[in-house]
Amino acid sequence: MSSITNNSMSSQRQHHILTIIGFFVVSLLASFGVDAATPFILPQDTPLNVNVNANANHRSSKSQTSTSQKAASSSTSNKSSLNGSINISNAHANPSQILKSQRSSQRLQSTSSKRPIRVCYQGEPGAYSEKSLRELLGTNVIAVPRPDFESCYRAVASRECDYACLPVENSLGGSIHDNYDLQLKYDLTIVAEHECRVSHCLHAMPGVKKEDIKYCMSHPQALAQCDNYLRGMGIKPVPMYDTAGSAKLLRDNADSASSNSNSKHKPSRSLPDECTPENTAAIASDLAGIYYQMNCLDRAIEDDDTNFTRFLLLGRASVSQYLNKKIPAKTSIVFTLPNTPGALYKALACFSLREIDFSKIESRPTSASLLNYLKFKSQALGKKNRNEADLPRFRYCFYLDFLASELDEHAQNALHHLKEQAEFCRILGTYPQKSRLVGPVRDAVEEANLWHVENDDDDQVTQRTQLTLPSDDGFMKLNVGIMGYGTYGKFLGRRFAEKHTVRCIDAADKSKEAEENDVEFYPMFEVESFLRETDVLVIAVPMIDFQAAISSLPKEMLANKLIVEVCPLGTAPKKMLLEHLPESADIISSNPMFGPSTSGEDKSWDGQPMVYDKVRVRNERRADAYLNVFERARCQMVKMTAEQQDAHLADAEFVTHLAGRLLGSGKMLPPTPVSSKEYAALCDVTDMTSADTFDMFYGMYKFNPRAQVHIANLRENLAKVERQLAAKEAYLAAKAELQTTDRQRLLAECRQLLHEVAKKGSLNVGSDLAAAVKKDLEKN
């Protein structure tokens, strides 16, 4: 073992010394006017093996033997063997080449993995999406077909795949809107783009001639794009779900009809009526013909040769930091604007004033989750519109591509300016233009090329396809553990137990309540057994007990588990979890804004808001399975960070509970046979808040730094109302007294005036009336 290490260190020292000598000689030659690219002759016996993997010597001799045989047959002299080393066999290498090889080896060392990258796409094997990813990334990556677009996003987010290659627009058919909407739902970033030329081929089974074809199957768009060709041939189009799927269907049925029972392509469905493998063709890509071993009867049969589809390569990490000024960059963003005159003009002016060019702009109706987020944000800013009829029925997102990097100074200023105007703004990715690869994407592709020996045989493409993923097993049943089986813990556990295995742990004896809800109960002294059987741990204790609860758990047993907090405030629990939990533990901060008092124990969760934040998630499939409990119950899923939750919801929740407790004490709201909507709403608030424990309310008070301010404001508002009431009462009393005084004074003046008139006898009225007035005056 020590001799291996010493040899490796000696080889590395030799390499570094030779590199330094080479640089010295190049500099010396340059001082004499000699070109630095002139070959620098090294001794023939100089070892130049750049060791990428120091542990490569521990591999099996069988693997090394097969690797060396493959490397010997390769036409490229600088190919890597499977042990991870780069062999520079050219004795006439100059120092710049040596340094370049060393840097390449160091980069591969940092990105080395045990397998080539997996890239998923939508469609059957051989689809244009697979052709696009192989044009962009090469033939040595592993292509993973998925049934729909969202499963591609989910595969990358759950780390089952490294990247996803998905179409976003076609030069003839327009935008693929599903992928625009899914970019908002998943936290993936764009790392590359590629424009794929869509060239259709007419495929048939081997032995079938073109004149035998009567029917042609393919996707409706492909059939429409080849309409003139099919009409000229007298072929009847038959719409199918996919281009490559049509070729697959034709091959599967041909194999089924043949006597070859060992075929790897089993029929998934039968051909349409009157279609047989002998009279039917399929329009698909040339790659589909290779994959399904079909005979290409004709190529480039499309009516318009300007058919291009733009694909995006989506990953989990940005590549913006790897872009320099020599690499043309593009940035994609999405934003929403307030419904005011000139809002879009002002937004675009943020870029045009800084001379930043656009390549695309498009508007789309907002998704449900984004619309919920905008509503919450509007309410937090005091812009709640009580009249739902006044709200716009359609809210739009604007997708914009501009030709600059997000790290460019002008672009940063433009984005800051835009965020001041936009209600929502998100950068979808900064990436190189025109099918360039940078950073870890390029390194992964280079590594895949080094892992595979170059082979032009078309069959190699089919061997680098992975048809299934672990998540394809279907429904993922979780082992959910609930810590704190109080009122809210029982409320959640009852729902979880419908589809998953649920167990609970509590300091008090909750065995009877747990048994009624088909939940297994563990006492606190069996915490290790409880955690050992748990995949997802939901902490449902009051906030004042949260720190003590997580501190009591053995830290090493929380590794690789999903920890979920359901507190009404998110920032403090999130900080505690990040401090206590190991790095391998996933964390979700959530606030189901409903409970037994709002939805009832047996009532539906339909429409209830569920605010959540994936603080740290590595196992996306498990996290999605947990959140799917709420999605399946048709909750309003609002994705919002814990800090945003507190900024937007903490004050409202505290004030609501404070008002409910003030009104609920002393029977201030007695039941009445007839009540107004306002009174009924107050009664509902009182009922909902009184059902929660005081410990929960105290936690909302303790961990909300503005709670005391709200209590002081409430006290001041109450005093203000009292002052207003007292002032109003004094005003009305003074007004009444003044009115009485004025009335008495007016009556006295009238009597005096009439008395004077009667005395003088100048009242020009009848004698009877004058006598009556005089008698009245004498009486008074």
Short mmCIF file of all heavy atoms in Angstrom, two decimals, residues 247-305:
data_model
loop_
_atom_site.label_atom_id
_atom_site.label_comp_id
_atom_site.label_asym_id
_atom_site.label_seq_id
_atom_site.Cartn_x
_atom_site.Cartn_y
_atom_site.Cartn_z
N ALA A 247 -43.65 4.45 -34.25
CA ALA A 247 -42.67 3.46 -34.70
C ALA A 247 -42.60 2.28 -33.73
O ALA A 247 -42.50 1.11 -34.15
CB ALA A 247 -41.30 4.12 -34.83
N LYS A 248 -42.68 2.58 -32.44
CA LYS A 248 -42.66 1.51 -31.44
C LYS A 248 -43.88 0.60 -31.57
O LYS A 248 -43.77 -0.63 -31.50
CB LYS A 248 -42.63 2.13 -30.04
CG LYS A 248 -42.63 1.12 -28.90
CD LYS A 248 -42.57 1.85 -27.57
CE LYS A 248 -42.50 0.86 -26.40
NZ LYS A 248 -43.73 0.06 -26.29
N LEU A 249 -45.04 1.20 -31.81
CA LEU A 249 -46.26 0.42 -31.96
C LEU A 249 -46.18 -0.49 -33.18
O LEU A 249 -46.60 -1.65 -33.15
CB LEU A 249 -47.46 1.35 -32.05
CG LEU A 249 -48.84 0.70 -32.21
CD1 LEU A 249 -49.16 -0.16 -31.00
CD2 LEU A 249 -49.91 1.77 -32.40
N LEU A 250 -45.63 0.04 -34.25
CA LEU A 250 -45.50 -0.76 -35.47
C LEU A 250 -44.54 -1.93 -35.25
O LEU A 250 -44.82 -3.07 -35.65
CB LEU A 250 -45.01 0.14 -36.61
CG LEU A 250 -45.17 -0.39 -38.03
CD1 LEU A 250 -46.63 -0.70 -38.35
CD2 LEU A 250 -44.61 0.62 -39.03
N ARG A 251 -43.42 -1.67 -34.60
CA ARG A 251 -42.46 -2.74 -34.32
C ARG A 251 -43.04 -3.77 -33.37
O ARG A 251 -42.89 -4.98 -33.57
CB ARG A 251 -41.18 -2.13 -33.75
CG ARG A 251 -40.26 -3.08 -33.03
CD ARG A 251 -39.83 -4.25 -33.91
NE ARG A 251 -38.98 -3.86 -35.01
CZ ARG A 251 -38.50 -4.71 -35.92
NH1 ARG A 251 -38.86 -5.99 -35.86
NH2 ARG A 251 -37.73 -4.29 -36.90
N ASP A 252 -43.71 -3.33 -32.32
CA ASP A 252 -44.27 -4.27 -31.34
C ASP A 252 -45.29 -5.20 -31.97
O ASP A 252 -45.29 -6.42 -31.71
CB ASP A 252 -44.93 -3.49 -30.19
CG ASP A 252 -43.92 -2.79 -29.32
OD1 ASP A 252 -42.72 -3.07 -29.47
OD2 ASP A 252 -44.32 -1.96 -28.48
N ASN A 253 -46.15 -4.68 -32.82
CA ASN A 253 -47.15 -5.52 -33.45
C ASN A 253 -46.55 -6.45 -34.50
O ASN A 253 -47.04 -7.56 -34.69
CB ASN A 253 -48.23 -4.65 -34.08
CG ASN A 253 -49.24 -4.13 -33.06
OD1 ASN A 253 -50.27 -4.73 -32.83
ND2 ASN A 253 -48.90 -3.00 -32.44
N ALA A 254 -45.50 -5.97 -35.16
CA ALA A 254 -44.82 -6.85 -36.11
C ALA A 254 -44.15 -8.01 -35.40
O ALA A 254 -44.21 -9.16 -35.84
CB ALA A 254 -43.80 -6.06 -36.92
N ASP A 255 -43.53 -7.71 -34.26
CA ASP A 255 -42.89 -8.78 -33.49
C ASP A 255 -43.92 -9.74 -32.92
O ASP A 255 -43.68 -10.94 -32.81
CB ASP A 255 -42.05 -8.17 -32.36
CG ASP A 255 -40.83 -7.45 -32.89
OD1 ASP A 255 -40.48 -7.67 -34.06
OD2 ASP A 255 -40.25 -6.65 -32.13
N SER A 256 -45.07 -9.18 -32.53
CA SER A 256 -46.12 -10.03 -31.97
C SER A 256 -46.69 -10.98 -33.02
O SER A 256 -47.04 -12.11 -32.72
CB SER A 256 -47.24 -9.17 -31.39
OG SER A 256 -48.29 -9.95 -30.90
N ALA A 257 -46.77 -10.49 -34.26
CA ALA A 257 -47.31 -11.32 -35.32
C ALA A 257 -46.33 -12.37 -35.80
O ALA A 257 -46.72 -13.39 -36.37
CB ALA A 257 -47.74 -10.45 -36.50
N SER A 258 -45.05 -12.11 -35.56
CA SER A 258 -44.04 -13.07 -36.00
C SER A 258 -43.94 -14.22 -35.00
O SER A 258 -44.53 -14.20 -33.93
CB SER A 258 -42.69 -12.38 -36.17
OG SER A 258 -42.21 -11.97 -34.91
N SER A 259 -43.17 -15.19 -35.35
CA SER A 259 -42.99 -16.36 -34.47
C SER A 259 -41.90 -16.15 -33.45
O SER A 259 -41.62 -17.05 -32.64
CB SER A 259 -42.66 -17.59 -35.33
OG SER A 259 -41.47 -17.37 -36.08
N ASN A 260 -41.27 -14.96 -33.47
CA ASN A 260 -40.17 -14.69 -32.54
C ASN A 260 -40.76 -14.32 -31.18
O ASN A 260 -41.19 -13.20 -30.95
CB ASN A 260 -39.30 -13.54 -33.07
CG ASN A 260 -38.11 -13.28 -32.17
OD1 ASN A 260 -37.82 -14.06 -31.28
ND2 ASN A 260 -37.42 -12.17 -32.42
N SER A 261 -40.83 -15.28 -30.27
CA SER A 261 -41.40 -15.03 -28.96
C SER A 261 -40.40 -14.41 -27.99
O SER A 261 -40.76 -14.02 -26.89
CB SER A 261 -41.90 -16.35 -28.34
OG SER A 261 -40.81 -17.26 -28.23
N ASN A 262 -39.14 -14.30 -28.43
CA ASN A 262 -38.12 -13.73 -27.55
C ASN A 262 -37.89 -12.25 -27.82
O ASN A 262 -36.89 -11.69 -27.39
CB ASN A 262 -36.79 -14.48 -27.72
CG ASN A 262 -36.91 -15.93 -27.30
OD1 ASN A 262 -37.61 -16.25 -26.36
ND2 ASN A 262 -36.20 -16.80 -28.02
N SER A 263 -38.79 -11.63 -28.52
CA SER A 263 -38.60 -10.22 -28.85
C SER A 263 -38.63 -9.38 -27.59
O SER A 263 -39.40 -9.59 -26.67
CB SER A 263 -39.72 -9.75 -29.79
OG SER A 263 -39.62 -8.36 -29.99
N LYS A 264 -37.76 -8.37 -27.58
CA LYS A 264 -37.70 -7.50 -26.40
C LYS A 264 -38.78 -6.43 -26.45
O LYS A 264 -39.00 -5.73 -25.47
CB LYS A 264 -36.33 -6.83 -26.31
CG LYS A 264 -36.01 -5.88 -27.47
CD LYS A 264 -34.64 -5.23 -27.28
CE LYS A 264 -34.32 -4.28 -28.43
NZ LYS A 264 -33.01 -3.65 -28.25
N HIS A 265 -39.44 -6.26 -27.58
CA HIS A 265 -40.49 -5.26 -27.71
C HIS A 265 -41.85 -5.95 -27.67
O HIS A 265 -42.28 -6.55 -28.64
CB HIS A 265 -40.35 -4.48 -29.03
CG HIS A 265 -39.04 -3.74 -29.13
ND1 HIS A 265 -38.75 -2.63 -28.39
CD2 HIS A 265 -37.96 -3.98 -29.91
CE1 HIS A 265 -37.54 -2.20 -28.70
NE2 HIS A 265 -37.04 -3.00 -29.61
N LYS A 266 -42.50 -5.90 -26.55
CA LYS A 266 -43.80 -6.52 -26.41
C LYS A 266 -44.89 -5.51 -26.78
O LYS A 266 -44.78 -4.33 -26.47
CB LYS A 266 -44.00 -7.02 -24.98
CG LYS A 266 -43.02 -8.12 -24.60
CD LYS A 266 -43.28 -8.61 -23.18
CE LYS A 266 -42.29 -9.73 -22.83
NZ LYS A 266 -42.52 -10.22 -21.45
N PRO A 267 -45.96 -5.97 -27.42
CA PRO A 267 -46.99 -5.02 -27.86
C PRO A 267 -47.74 -4.44 -26.68
O PRO A 267 -48.20 -5.15 -25.80
CB PRO A 267 -47.91 -5.89 -28.74
CG PRO A 267 -47.69 -7.28 -28.25
CD PRO A 267 -46.27 -7.36 -27.79
N SER A 268 -47.86 -3.12 -26.67
CA SER A 268 -48.62 -2.43 -25.63
C SER A 268 -50.06 -2.19 -26.07
O SER A 268 -50.94 -2.08 -25.23
CB SER A 268 -47.96 -1.08 -25.29
OG SER A 268 -47.85 -0.29 -26.46
N ARG A 269 -50.29 -2.12 -27.38
CA ARG A 269 -51.63 -1.94 -27.91
C ARG A 269 -51.63 -2.40 -29.36
O ARG A 269 -50.58 -2.54 -29.99
CB ARG A 269 -52.07 -0.47 -27.82
CG ARG A 269 -51.08 0.48 -28.47
CD ARG A 269 -51.40 1.94 -28.18
NE ARG A 269 -52.66 2.34 -28.76
CZ ARG A 269 -53.10 3.61 -28.74
NH1 ARG A 269 -52.38 4.54 -28.15
NH2 ARG A 269 -54.24 3.93 -29.30
N SER A 270 -52.80 -2.64 -29.89
CA SER A 270 -52.90 -3.15 -31.26
C SER A 270 -52.95 -1.98 -32.23
O SER A 270 -53.23 -0.84 -31.87
CB SER A 270 -54.14 -4.02 -31.41
OG SER A 270 -55.31 -3.27 -31.09
N LEU A 271 -52.69 -2.30 -33.49
CA LEU A 271 -52.75 -1.29 -34.55
C LEU A 271 -54.19 -0.88 -34.81
O LEU A 271 -55.13 -1.65 -34.56
CB LEU A 271 -52.13 -1.84 -35.83
CG LEU A 271 -50.60 -2.05 -35.83
CD1 LEU A 271 -50.18 -2.78 -37.10
CD2 LEU A 271 -49.88 -0.71 -35.71
N PRO A 272 -54.40 0.32 -35.33
CA PRO A 272 -55.76 0.73 -35.69
C PRO A 272 -56.36 -0.19 -36.75
O PRO A 272 -55.65 -0.98 -37.40
CB PRO A 272 -55.57 2.15 -36.22
CG PRO A 272 -54.29 2.63 -35.63
CD PRO A 272 -53.42 1.41 -35.50
N ASP A 273 -57.65 -0.06 -36.91
CA ASP A 273 -58.34 -0.90 -37.89
C ASP A 273 -57.76 -0.72 -39.27
O ASP A 273 -57.42 0.39 -39.69
CB ASP A 273 -59.84 -0.56 -37.90
CG ASP A 273 -60.51 -0.91 -36.58
OD1 ASP A 273 -59.95 -1.75 -35.85
OD2 ASP A 273 -61.58 -0.31 -36.29
N GLU A 274 -57.67 -1.84 -39.99
CA GLU A 274 -57.19 -1.92 -41.37
C GLU A 274 -55.69 -1.67 -41.49
O GLU A 274 -55.14 -1.73 -42.59
CB GLU A 274 -57.95 -0.94 -42.29
CG GLU A 274 -59.45 -1.20 -42.34
CD GLU A 274 -60.15 -0.24 -43.28
OE1 GLU A 274 -59.46 0.61 -43.88
OE2 GLU A 274 -61.38 -0.33 -43.41
N CYS A 275 -55.02 -1.37 -40.38
CA CYS A 275 -53.57 -1.16 -40.43
C CYS A 275 -52.86 -2.48 -40.07
O CYS A 275 -53.21 -3.14 -39.09
CB CYS A 275 -53.14 -0.07 -39.45
SG CYS A 275 -53.73 1.58 -39.88
N THR A 276 -51.89 -2.83 -40.86
CA THR A 276 -51.07 -4.01 -40.61
C THR A 276 -49.60 -3.60 -40.74
O THR A 276 -49.28 -2.58 -41.36
CB THR A 276 -51.39 -5.13 -41.60
OG1 THR A 276 -51.04 -4.69 -42.93
CG2 THR A 276 -52.87 -5.49 -41.55
N PRO A 277 -48.69 -4.40 -40.18
CA PRO A 277 -47.26 -4.07 -40.35
C PRO A 277 -46.82 -4.06 -41.80
O PRO A 277 -45.80 -3.43 -42.13
CB PRO A 277 -46.56 -5.18 -39.56
CG PRO A 277 -47.57 -5.64 -38.56
CD PRO A 277 -48.89 -5.51 -39.24
N GLU A 278 -47.59 -4.70 -42.69
CA GLU A 278 -47.19 -4.76 -44.10
C GLU A 278 -47.69 -3.57 -44.91
O GLU A 278 -47.14 -3.29 -45.99
CB GLU A 278 -47.71 -6.06 -44.74
CG GLU A 278 -47.04 -7.33 -44.22
CD GLU A 278 -47.56 -7.71 -42.84
OE1 GLU A 278 -48.69 -7.26 -42.47
OE2 GLU A 278 -46.86 -8.45 -42.12
N ASN A 279 -48.74 -2.85 -44.44
CA ASN A 279 -49.27 -1.73 -45.24
C ASN A 279 -49.21 -0.39 -44.49
O ASN A 279 -49.82 0.58 -44.92
CB ASN A 279 -50.71 -2.02 -45.66
CG ASN A 279 -51.67 -2.05 -44.48
OD1 ASN A 279 -51.28 -1.87 -43.33
ND2 ASN A 279 -52.94 -2.31 -44.77
N THR A 280 -48.50 -0.35 -43.38
CA THR A 280 -48.48 0.86 -42.56
C THR A 280 -47.05 1.31 -42.33
O THR A 280 -46.15 0.50 -42.10
CB THR A 280 -49.16 0.60 -41.19
OG1 THR A 280 -50.47 0.09 -41.43
CG2 THR A 280 -49.25 1.89 -40.39
N ALA A 281 -46.87 2.63 -42.37
CA ALA A 281 -45.58 3.25 -42.08
C ALA A 281 -45.74 4.18 -40.89
O ALA A 281 -46.85 4.44 -40.42
CB ALA A 281 -45.05 4.00 -43.30
N ALA A 282 -44.63 4.70 -40.41
CA ALA A 282 -44.64 5.64 -39.29
C ALA A 282 -43.73 6.81 -39.62
O ALA A 282 -42.64 6.63 -40.19
CB ALA A 282 -44.19 4.96 -38.01
N ILE A 283 -44.17 8.01 -39.28
CA ILE A 283 -43.33 9.20 -39.43
C ILE A 283 -42.68 9.48 -38.09
O ILE A 283 -43.36 9.70 -37.09
CB ILE A 283 -44.17 10.41 -39.89
CG1 ILE A 283 -44.71 10.17 -41.30
CG2 ILE A 283 -43.33 11.68 -39.86
CD1 ILE A 283 -45.58 11.29 -41.81
N ALA A 284 -41.36 9.45 -38.07
CA ALA A 284 -40.62 9.67 -36.84
C ALA A 284 -39.21 10.13 -37.20
O ALA A 284 -38.88 10.36 -38.37
CB ALA A 284 -40.58 8.40 -35.99
N SER A 285 -38.38 10.27 -36.17
CA SER A 285 -37.00 10.71 -36.39
C SER A 285 -36.16 9.56 -36.91
O SER A 285 -36.55 8.39 -36.83
CB SER A 285 -36.41 11.23 -35.08
OG SER A 285 -36.29 10.18 -34.14
N ASP A 286 -35.00 9.90 -37.43
CA ASP A 286 -34.08 8.85 -37.88
C ASP A 286 -33.59 8.01 -36.71
O ASP A 286 -33.33 6.81 -36.85
CB ASP A 286 -32.90 9.47 -38.63
CG ASP A 286 -32.22 10.58 -37.83
OD1 ASP A 286 -32.75 10.95 -36.76
OD2 ASP A 286 -31.18 11.08 -38.28
N LEU A 287 -33.50 8.63 -35.51
CA LEU A 287 -33.08 7.88 -34.33
C LEU A 287 -34.11 6.82 -33.96
O LEU A 287 -33.74 5.73 -33.51
CB LEU A 287 -32.87 8.85 -33.16
CG LEU A 287 -32.36 8.24 -31.86
CD1 LEU A 287 -30.99 7.60 -32.06
CD2 LEU A 287 -32.31 9.29 -30.76
N ALA A 288 -35.39 7.11 -34.14
CA ALA A 288 -36.42 6.12 -33.85
C ALA A 288 -36.30 4.92 -34.78
O ALA A 288 -36.50 3.77 -34.36
CB ALA A 288 -37.81 6.76 -33.98
N GLY A 289 -35.97 5.17 -36.05
CA GLY A 289 -35.76 4.06 -36.97
C GLY A 289 -34.61 3.18 -36.56
O GLY A 289 -34.66 1.94 -36.68
N ILE A 290 -33.54 3.80 -36.05
CA ILE A 290 -32.39 3.01 -35.57
C ILE A 290 -32.77 2.21 -34.34
O ILE A 290 -32.45 1.03 -34.22
CB ILE A 290 -31.21 3.96 -35.27
CG1 ILE A 290 -30.73 4.64 -36.56
CG2 ILE A 290 -30.06 3.20 -34.61
CD1 ILE A 290 -29.71 5.73 -36.33
N TYR A 291 -33.48 2.85 -33.42
CA TYR A 291 -33.81 2.20 -32.15
C TYR A 291 -34.71 0.99 -32.37
O TYR A 291 -34.52 -0.05 -31.75
CB TYR A 291 -34.47 3.21 -31.22
CG TYR A 291 -34.61 2.72 -29.80
CD1 TYR A 291 -33.62 2.96 -28.86
CD2 TYR A 291 -35.74 2.01 -29.40
CE1 TYR A 291 -33.73 2.50 -27.56
CE2 TYR A 291 -35.86 1.55 -28.10
CZ TYR A 291 -34.85 1.80 -27.18
OH TYR A 291 -34.97 1.33 -25.91
N TYR A 292 -35.72 1.13 -33.24
CA TYR A 292 -36.68 0.05 -33.45
C TYR A 292 -36.36 -0.80 -34.67
O TYR A 292 -37.19 -1.58 -35.12
CB TYR A 292 -38.09 0.63 -33.56
CG TYR A 292 -38.51 1.36 -32.31
CD1 TYR A 292 -38.59 2.74 -32.28
CD2 TYR A 292 -38.78 0.66 -31.15
CE1 TYR A 292 -38.95 3.41 -31.12
CE2 TYR A 292 -39.14 1.31 -29.99
CZ TYR A 292 -39.21 2.69 -29.97
OH TYR A 292 -39.55 3.35 -28.82
N GLN A 293 -35.15 -0.61 -35.24
CA GLN A 293 -34.66 -1.45 -36.34
C GLN A 293 -35.65 -1.50 -37.50
O GLN A 293 -36.09 -2.55 -37.94
CB GLN A 293 -34.37 -2.86 -35.83
CG GLN A 293 -33.38 -2.91 -34.69
CD GLN A 293 -33.19 -4.29 -34.12
OE1 GLN A 293 -33.74 -5.27 -34.64
NE2 GLN A 293 -32.39 -4.41 -33.07
N MET A 294 -35.98 -0.30 -37.98
CA MET A 294 -36.93 -0.18 -39.07
C MET A 294 -36.22 0.28 -40.34
O MET A 294 -35.09 0.79 -40.30
CB MET A 294 -38.05 0.78 -38.69
CG MET A 294 -38.79 0.38 -37.42
SD MET A 294 -40.22 1.40 -37.09
CE MET A 294 -41.35 0.81 -38.35
N ASN A 295 -36.90 0.12 -41.43
CA ASN A 295 -36.36 0.49 -42.74
C ASN A 295 -36.82 1.90 -43.09
O ASN A 295 -38.03 2.17 -43.11
CB ASN A 295 -36.83 -0.51 -43.79
CG ASN A 295 -36.27 -0.18 -45.17
OD1 ASN A 295 -35.21 0.43 -45.28
ND2 ASN A 295 -36.99 -0.60 -46.21
N CYS A 296 -35.89 2.79 -43.33
CA CYS A 296 -36.22 4.17 -43.69
C CYS A 296 -36.49 4.25 -45.19
O CYS A 296 -35.58 4.11 -46.01
CB CYS A 296 -35.08 5.11 -43.30
SG CYS A 296 -35.44 6.85 -43.64
N LEU A 297 -37.76 4.47 -45.55
CA LEU A 297 -38.13 4.52 -46.96
C LEU A 297 -37.84 5.87 -47.59
O LEU A 297 -37.58 5.95 -48.80
CB LEU A 297 -39.63 4.21 -47.10
CG LEU A 297 -40.08 2.84 -46.59
CD1 LEU A 297 -41.58 2.68 -46.77
CD2 LEU A 297 -39.33 1.72 -47.32
N ASP A 298 -37.88 6.94 -46.79
CA ASP A 298 -37.63 8.27 -47.34
C ASP A 298 -37.26 9.22 -46.19
O ASP A 298 -37.72 9.04 -45.05
CB ASP A 298 -38.88 8.80 -48.06
CG ASP A 298 -38.51 9.80 -49.15
OD1 ASP A 298 -37.34 10.25 -49.16
OD2 ASP A 298 -39.39 10.13 -49.97
N ARG A 299 -36.46 10.22 -46.47
CA ARG A 299 -36.03 11.20 -45.47
C ARG A 299 -36.46 12.60 -45.87
O ARG A 299 -36.73 12.87 -47.04
CB ARG A 299 -34.50 11.17 -45.31
CG ARG A 299 -33.96 9.83 -44.81
CD ARG A 299 -32.45 9.87 -44.70
NE ARG A 299 -31.91 8.57 -44.25
CZ ARG A 299 -31.73 8.25 -42.99
NH1 ARG A 299 -32.01 9.14 -42.05
NH2 ARG A 299 -31.25 7.06 -42.66
N ALA A 300 -36.51 13.47 -44.86
CA ALA A 300 -36.84 14.88 -45.06
C ALA A 300 -38.14 15.02 -45.86
O ALA A 300 -38.20 15.71 -46.88
CB ALA A 300 -35.69 15.61 -45.75
N ILE A 301 -39.20 14.40 -45.39
CA ILE A 301 -40.47 14.41 -46.11
C ILE A 301 -41.38 15.55 -45.67
O ILE A 301 -42.51 15.66 -46.14
CB ILE A 301 -41.20 13.07 -45.92
CG1 ILE A 301 -41.58 12.85 -44.44
CG2 ILE A 301 -40.35 11.92 -46.42
CD1 ILE A 301 -42.43 11.62 -44.21
N GLU A 302 -40.90 16.42 -44.77
CA GLU A 302 -41.73 17.52 -44.29
C GLU A 302 -41.92 18.56 -45.40
O GLU A 302 -41.08 18.72 -46.30
CB GLU A 302 -41.11 18.17 -43.05
CG GLU A 302 -39.77 18.81 -43.28
CD GLU A 302 -38.62 17.82 -43.16
OE1 GLU A 302 -38.90 16.63 -42.93
OE2 GLU A 302 -37.46 18.24 -43.32
N ASP A 303 -43.05 19.26 -45.35
CA ASP A 303 -43.36 20.26 -46.36
C ASP A 303 -42.55 21.54 -46.19
O ASP A 303 -42.30 22.26 -47.16
CB ASP A 303 -44.86 20.61 -46.31
CG ASP A 303 -45.73 19.38 -46.53
OD1 ASP A 303 -45.26 18.43 -47.19
OD2 ASP A 303 -46.87 19.36 -46.01
N ASP A 304 -42.18 21.87 -44.97
CA ASP A 304 -41.45 23.10 -44.67
C ASP A 304 -40.14 22.72 -44.00
O ASP A 304 -40.13 22.05 -42.97
CB ASP A 304 -42.29 23.99 -43.74
CG ASP A 304 -41.75 25.40 -43.64
OD1 ASP A 304 -40.52 25.57 -43.85
OD2 ASP A 304 -42.53 26.33 -43.34
N ASP A 305 -39.03 23.16 -44.59
CA ASP A 305 -37.73 22.80 -44.04
C ASP A 305 -37.24 23.78 -42.99
O ASP A 305 -36.07 23.76 -42.60
CB ASP A 305 -36.69 22.67 -45.16
CG ASP A 305 -36.53 23.96 -45.95
OD1 ASP A 305 -37.24 24.94 -45.65
OD2 ASP A 305 -35.69 23.99 -46.87
#
